[in-house]
Each structure stands twice: as C-alpha cells, then as structure tokens.
Amino acid sequence: MKVEKTFFCLFFLLTCILSVSFGAYGEENVPPSSSSGSEKVYQDGKSLCNDLSAELQKQNEELHREIRQLKREILMLRQEITRPDVRDIIGGIGFVFGLCGVGFYFHTRWILRRKE
Amino acid sequence: MHIADGVLPPAVAVGTAVVSAGIVLFSIRRLHYEDYPRIAVMTAAFFVASLIHVPLGPTSVHLLLPGLVGIVLGPLSFLAIALGLVLQCFLFQFGGVTALGANALMMGLPAMLAGYIFRALSGKHIGRIALVAGVAGAAGVVIAALILAILLAISGEVFWGVAKVAVLAHIPVAIVEGGVSAFAVSFLYRVKPELLKGMA
C-alpha cells in the first residue's frame, strides 16, 4: 500500500513537471508577432485587391514610358538610315549635269544637220 | 515640305499634275541651248538645298531657294524645280510620285513669282537690288507654305493641324531665305550682272 502510494505520488509529480516543461518550451518557440510594421495585415480582400491594382498600374505606366522612349529612338534611327549620303547628293548633281550634256549633244546634232 | 504619296485626293493629284505639265511645256517652248548650263546649275542648287533638312521642333524644314532660282532663271525656274523634284522622287523617294505635280506647283510657282517680283521692283542701286531680292525670296517661301497649307487642307481635316504647323515652321525659313537671296543676288550683281537680266 505504501509502495503504491509512493508510486502514484511520484507519477503525479513527474506528470506535473513534464507538462510545465513542455508548456514553457512551446511558448519559447512561438514565432514573433507581426508587429514589426513592414507587413500589412489585410483585414479584408478588397484593400488587398486595391493595393495590388495600384501597384500593377504603376508598373504599367513605367512600361508604357519605356516603350514610348524606344519608339522615339527607332524613329530617329530610321531617319538617320534614310538620310541621303554625300555620295547620293554628288550623284544627283552629276545626274543633272549629265542631262545638261545630253541636251547639248542633241542640240549640236541639230546644228550640224542644219549646216548640211 | 515634300508631300508624300497618299496624302492628296486623286482629283487634286491629277489636277495639279496636269497644270504642272502644262507649265513645264510652256517653259520648254521658251528654252534655248544657251540656257542649259544655267538651268543645270540652278537645278543642282535646288537639289542640294532641299536635301539638307534642318530639324525644327516636331518637323524638319529645308531651304527652297525660290528667290535665287526665280531671279536667275525667270520663267524657266519652274522647269528647273520640276526636274529637281523628279530626280529627288526617283533617286531618294523624297515626295510621292503621285504628288509630283503638287510638289512642283508648290515650289515652282513661288520661284516664278519671286522672279516676277524682282523684275518688277528692282533698280540699279545694289542696296535696292539686295532688298528686293530678299523680299522676293522670303515671299516665295511664304507663298510655298501657303500653297502647302491649302493642299493639305483640301486633303482632309486630319491634315489641318499639320497645315498650321507647316506654315509656322516655314516662317524662320522665310527669314533665312530672304537673307540668302539678298546676299547671293547682290554678289551676282557685282560679279556677273548679265545673269540677272532674265531669260527668254
């Protein structure tokens, strides 16, 4: 009887000690509460949607700005490529004087025919 | 300043082409072989001047030389400018093929008018000659810009804004052209005055 009593007291004591120690360990490993301030706690889905759409709109505007800049640069490059070179200009002047020479040639032939 | 393909309605393109062809034929009938070198030089000058584009805000402009070409060539200036435009169109695709007539009218008529203004108002004193040449050159550019605005306005409401910008953009060009014409003609009067006596 005495042995059983002692055993039950010891078992009860052990149980108490174990429960207290597990409880303390559980409390130590609880993650820190989200009161650091960097994360927002959304109470409802609507404010989360609004924030997300504002962020998307901002990124959209930045993308549009960059696309406009790219289009401007493409236009400037196209203008530079199609601009006539100095060789083209000199060639055109040569064409004009060549036509003048052709005109003189036919006029001279007409004069010579008249003399005959 | 060159009008591209597809801007003008077909009726305007055909009409201006017929009128330009008529004026070119009229000029060819008054052509003598002694005029060939002068026409060649003025065509080359117009060719080079209208190839060099100066950016001005949203658009770009170029010199037209209506004063110099009109004063030196007189009635034959239309032929020289039409020839220069044909070469630019086929060599560099400047200006559309269908708009050749309109472009020739737009740039050739002011040159002829500048020549007439000079012959009507010039005198013997070099100062008066330079002043009248400057006024003729500037007036030529202004008339060309107005013709361009009228042609664009005929083409549709879409081009009204472009027409206004074209006229405003050519005001500084008119001032520069006036100066260029005044200096060039006064130089020619001192060095070779027979060049300014007119042709035909």
Side-chain angles (χ1 to χ4, degrees):
Chain A
M1 203 61 179
K2 220 176 176 179
V3 171
E4 285 159 357
K5 251 186 174 176
T6 317
F7 178 75
F8 276 122
C9 288
L10 278 174
F11 178 75
F12 181 70
L13 204 60
L14 189 66
T15 313
C16 289
I17 290 168
L18 280 173
S19 62
V20 166
S21 64
F22 273 124
Y25 177 78
E27 275 181 23
E28 276 173 15
N29 284 321
V30 159
S33 62
S34 53
S35 57
S36 55
S38 59
E39 290 174 17
K40 227 175 159 177
V41 177
Y42 288 101
Q43 302 299 323
D44 58 346
K46 202 174 174 185
S47 58
L48 170 65
C49 277
N50 287 342
D51 282 351
L52 277 174
S53 73
E55 185 68 32
L56 280 170
Q57 210 162 342
K58 213 169 65 175
Q59 286 179 1
N60 208 17
E61 277 168 17
E62 277 180 29
L63 275 169
H64 275 289
R65 223 177 291 135
E66 295 208 4
I67 287 173
R68 253 180 273 139
Q69 177 71 18
L70 280 170
K71 278 188 184 167
R72 243 179 266 138
E73 285 179 15
I74 288 172
L75 186 67
M76 280 169 60
L77 273 169
R78 202 177 279 162
Q79 281 179 352
E80 270 189 47
I81 289 168
T82 54
R83 204 178 292 168
D85 213 358
V86 175
R87 281 176 293 180
D88 297 329
I89 295 173
I90 292 174
I93 295 172
F95 208 104
V96 169
F97 284 109
L99 284 173
C100 176
V102 166
F104 270 127
Y105 167 73
F106 282 110
H107 180 75
T108 312
R109 269 180 61 162
W110 178 73
I111 289 176
L112 290 173
R113 260 201 222 130
R114 261 183 57 179
K115 275 189 185 165
E116 285 166 16
Chain B
M1 194 179 222
H2 296 65
I3 300 174
D5 270 326
V7 171
L8 298 173
V12 174
V14 168
T16 50
V18 166
V19 172
S20 298
I23 301 176
V24 164
L25 283 170
F26 167 75
S27 300
I28 288 174
R29 284 180 71 91
R30 303 175 77 160
L31 194 59
H32 294 288
Y33 77 96
E34 301 122 353
D35 306 329
Y36 292 171
R38 223 190 290 195
I39 293 175
V41 169
M42 285 297 122
T43 306
F46 169 77
F47 186 80
V48 172
S50 53
L51 275 180
I52 299 169
H53 287 242
V54 176
L56 195 74
T59 178
S60 68
V61 293
H62 55 79
L63 286 184
L64 300 168
L65 299 184
L68 190 58
V69 174
I71 290 166
V72 172
L73 294 180
L76 293 171
S77 55
F78 194 94
L79 176 65
I81 286 176
L83 183 59
L85 286 169
V86 166
L87 285 175
Q88 283 179 352
C89 175
F90 290 114
L91 291 180
F92 305 124
Q93 291 82 47
F94 266 34
V97 177
T98 55
L100 264 177
N103 283 327
L105 268 184
M106 182 174 61
M107 295 187 232
L109 273 184
M112 289 174 79
L113 286 169
Y116 289 133
I117 291 171
F118 182 77
R119 275 176 226 330
L121 299 176
S122 74
K124 290 210 168 4
H125 188 250
I126 191 166
R128 185 182 167 126
I129 285 175
L131 181 68
V132 173
V135 166
V141 173
V142 170
I143 294 168
L146 287 172
I147 296 175
L148 171 65
I150 291 168
L151 286 171
L152 288 176
I154 292 171
S155 306
E157 281 180 35
V158 178
F159 296 106
W160 284 1
V162 181
K164 279 182 222 159
V165 170
V167 173
L168 288 171
H170 281 89
I171 290 171
V173 178
I175 297 168
V176 171
E177 281 277 3
V180 166
S181 298
F183 278 116
V185 170
S186 61
F187 172 75
L188 284 175
Y189 182 73
R190 260 180 265 155
V191 169
K192 205 164 171 76
E194 52 270 19
L195 270 178
L196 302 176
K197 292 250 172 10
M199 300 164 73

